Amino acid sequence: MWTAPGFEQVAEEFARNFAERGEVGAAFAAYHRGELVVDLYGGTADPDTGRRWDHDTIHLMFSGTKGPTSACVLLLMQRGQLSLTDPLSRYWPEFGANGKESITIAEVLSHQARLPWVDAGYAELLDHDAMAAHLAAQAPAADPRAAFMYHPVTWGWLLDELVRRVDGRTVGRFFAEEFAQPLGLEVWIGLPEELHWRAATMVAPEGVLVDGPWSDLNRPNPLWIPGAEKYWNTTEYRTAGLAAVGGYATARGMARFYASLLDQTAGVLTRETVALAQREIRRGTEPNWGSPMSYGAGFELTEQPEQSGQPEQPEQPKGFGHSGAGGSRHGAWPDREIAYSYLMNEVRVSPDPRPISLLTALSAAGLSRGTRATAR
């Protein structure tokens, strides 16, 4: 494991997560000015077998996937193949059915498409073509509160179909060829079957996954109901490549992904494109959770600690990234030149002290601006 001078407190909080906060298995990594300064991992990757979490353990990051998927759309924009102000139906004509012809790519990226669920149900959850066809035929939600409402799963089918229509590749293949391979990232949207042996087993304590109460606005998320944890760990789910919630990574890989967005000499996206990713498109209150949310081009804008798990402090850094259900956190603080990722296999509800404690320590360490990594 690795830390750098000045970042020792992060390692102390990581250990405290296990000793005091019941962590099962986890990893936390951070880059500062393009250099790896924190690389921590430990605990149990598979509680059933006792397999330890090691340097090479890969983990499901749920909505942390939305960061890499957003980067794919932004790269197409950077190349002049689309504009965020274009209606999605320009590239996907079938999507224009039932009054959706004017919904823009920017609105989809920022959770304003008014398609937060699938009326036809989720029996074909892992069949991209079927789910995209359902959404193309569906009318947008009539409830005005759905005009700015988090789209946990449907977001991915909409944007994966956009990438397929514009480029011909799936989001998973596009990300692999345009980002992961050139940058050497251990990040996959859809985990190759030959790597499944490295994947951590997800676990959910009793009471975390919920089965209601439901309403016309608050509808079941098929991946967050009792028993769903068995589905998360299947070969079929791991390989499916769901563009919203099917990404896998090491914490080191995701931290390096966000570090590449800050380092223009090593990245794929230009400074102007990364700046656009951080430009606010919409801010408001999520109608089901009652909590604030703010979005740029697919990325959460993390100035609100209650939204992102980012620490609240007098000199609080502002940043962008995307959290994942159950506690994972991934993002960057450009003003401190820090990128980070936290992954864990036991999902919990917010507020979760595990990422908050790590990010608080990382933020404080960033003020010291230590850069020289040393082995621990």
Side-chain angles (χ1 to χ4, degrees):
M1 295 195 292
W2 293 79
T3 58
F7 288 83
E8 294 87 355
Q9 186 181 349
V10 181
E12 292 170 6
E13 286 300 329
F14 187 77
R16 195 168 288 123
N17 275 351
F18 288 91
E20 300 176 8
R21 304 177 185 116
E23 188 79 273
V24 176
F28 185 66
Y31 278 76
H32 183 220
R33 295 176 179 167
E35 182 181 6
L36 182 67
V37 294
V38 176
D39 187 12
L40 303 169
Y41 49 88
T44 303
D46 187 342
D48 292 334
T49 66
R51 174 167 57 94
R52 303 299 295 171
W53 193 304
D54 62 24
H55 185 263
D56 294 321
T57 299
I58 297 167
H59 191 275
L60 171 63
M61 54 184 171
F62 286 123
S63 285
T65 314
K66 290 182 172 74
T69 294
S70 297
C72 294
V73 175
L74 287 166
L75 182 56
L76 290 174
M77 182 213 69
Q78 180 176 292
R79 291 173 173 170
Q81 292 176 263
L82 58 82
S83 170
L84 300 189
T85 58
D86 288 339
L88 181 55
S89 60
R90 175 175 176 178
Y91 307 96
W92 180 8
E94 299 91 332
F95 182 78
N98 278 317
K100 303 193 302 300
E101 64 278 355
S102 63
I103 295 174
T104 67
I105 295 169
E107 288 173 328
V108 175
L109 283 165
S110 57
H111 300 269
Q112 299 182 79
R114 291 187 290 147
L115 295 165
W117 54 73
V118 182
D119 287 341
Y122 297 91
E124 300 164 290
L125 178 71
L126 301 184
D127 184 336
H128 169 83
D129 291 340
M131 301 308 289
H134 289 321
L135 289 170
Q138 184 172 318
D143 191 318
R145 294 173 295 175
F148 186 43
M149 178 177 170
Y150 189 62
H151 290 45
V153 187
T154 57
W155 185 98
W157 292 311
L158 297 174
L159 291 167
D160 195 351
E161 187 65 18
L162 170 65
V163 172
R164 294 177 191 218
R165 296 284 178 134
V166 173
D167 179 80
R169 289 175 282 181
T170 66
V171 158
R173 182 181 166 196
F174 187 97
F175 183 81
E177 295 176 354
E178 301 289 350
F179 289 90
Q181 293 168 12
L183 298 174
L185 305 178
E186 294 179 307
V187 181
W188 301 264
I189 302 176
L191 186 64
E193 195 163 347
E194 63 269 21
L195 296 177
H196 286 199
W197 67 274
R198 291 173 54 187
T201 299
M202 301 290 293
V203 293
E206 186 176 354
V208 172
L209 305 182
V210 296
D211 192 14
W214 310 118
S215 66
D216 286 344
L217 191 68
N218 183 26
R219 302 191 184 188
N221 178 342
L223 298 175
W224 208 253
I225 56 177
E229 71 276 15
K230 299 181 180 66
Y231 192 51
W232 305 335
N233 295 313
T234 63
T235 296
E236 293 78 12
Y237 187 85
R238 287 173 173 167
T239 57
L242 296 179
V245 291
Y248 289 78
T250 61
R252 192 172 53 253
M254 274 300 282
R256 187 170 180 177
F257 164 69
Y258 277 101
S260 78
L261 300 184
L262 301 183
D263 183 358
Q264 302 307 307
T265 63
V268 175
L269 300 181
T270 65
R271 185 181 306 277
E272 293 74 20
T273 300
V274 174
L276 178 64
Q278 301 171 64
R279 188 177 303 160
E280 184 175 274
I281 296 175
R282 182 74 186 264
R283 172 192 298 270
T285 299
E286 212 292 331
N288 283 317
W289 309 332
S291 57
M293 63 180 191
S294 175
Y295 280 91
F299 293 95
E300 293 173 335
L301 305 182
T302 57
E303 67 238 23
Q304 297 142 344
E306 66 274 17
Q307 173 194 348
S308 67
Q310 183 174 306
E312 186 170 12
Q313 53 189 304
E315 297 184 46
Q316 179 183 320
K318 293 186 178 182
F320 69 104
H322 214 291
S323 58
S328 74
R329 299 289 185 269
H330 322 275
W333 299 325
D335 60 340
R336 295 198 184 164
E337 302 173 272
I338 288 177
Y340 60 86
S341 174
Y342 166 69
L343 288 164
M344 74 299 129
N345 60 351
E346 182 178 270
V347 299
R348 298 184 187 175
V349 296
S350 295
D352 187 344
R354 298 172 301 171
I356 292 174
S357 67
L358 292 169
L359 292 173
T360 299
L362 179 63
S363 178
L367 287 174
S368 71
R369 305 184 71 81
T371 59
R372 192 175 172 185
T374 57
R376 284 178 59 89

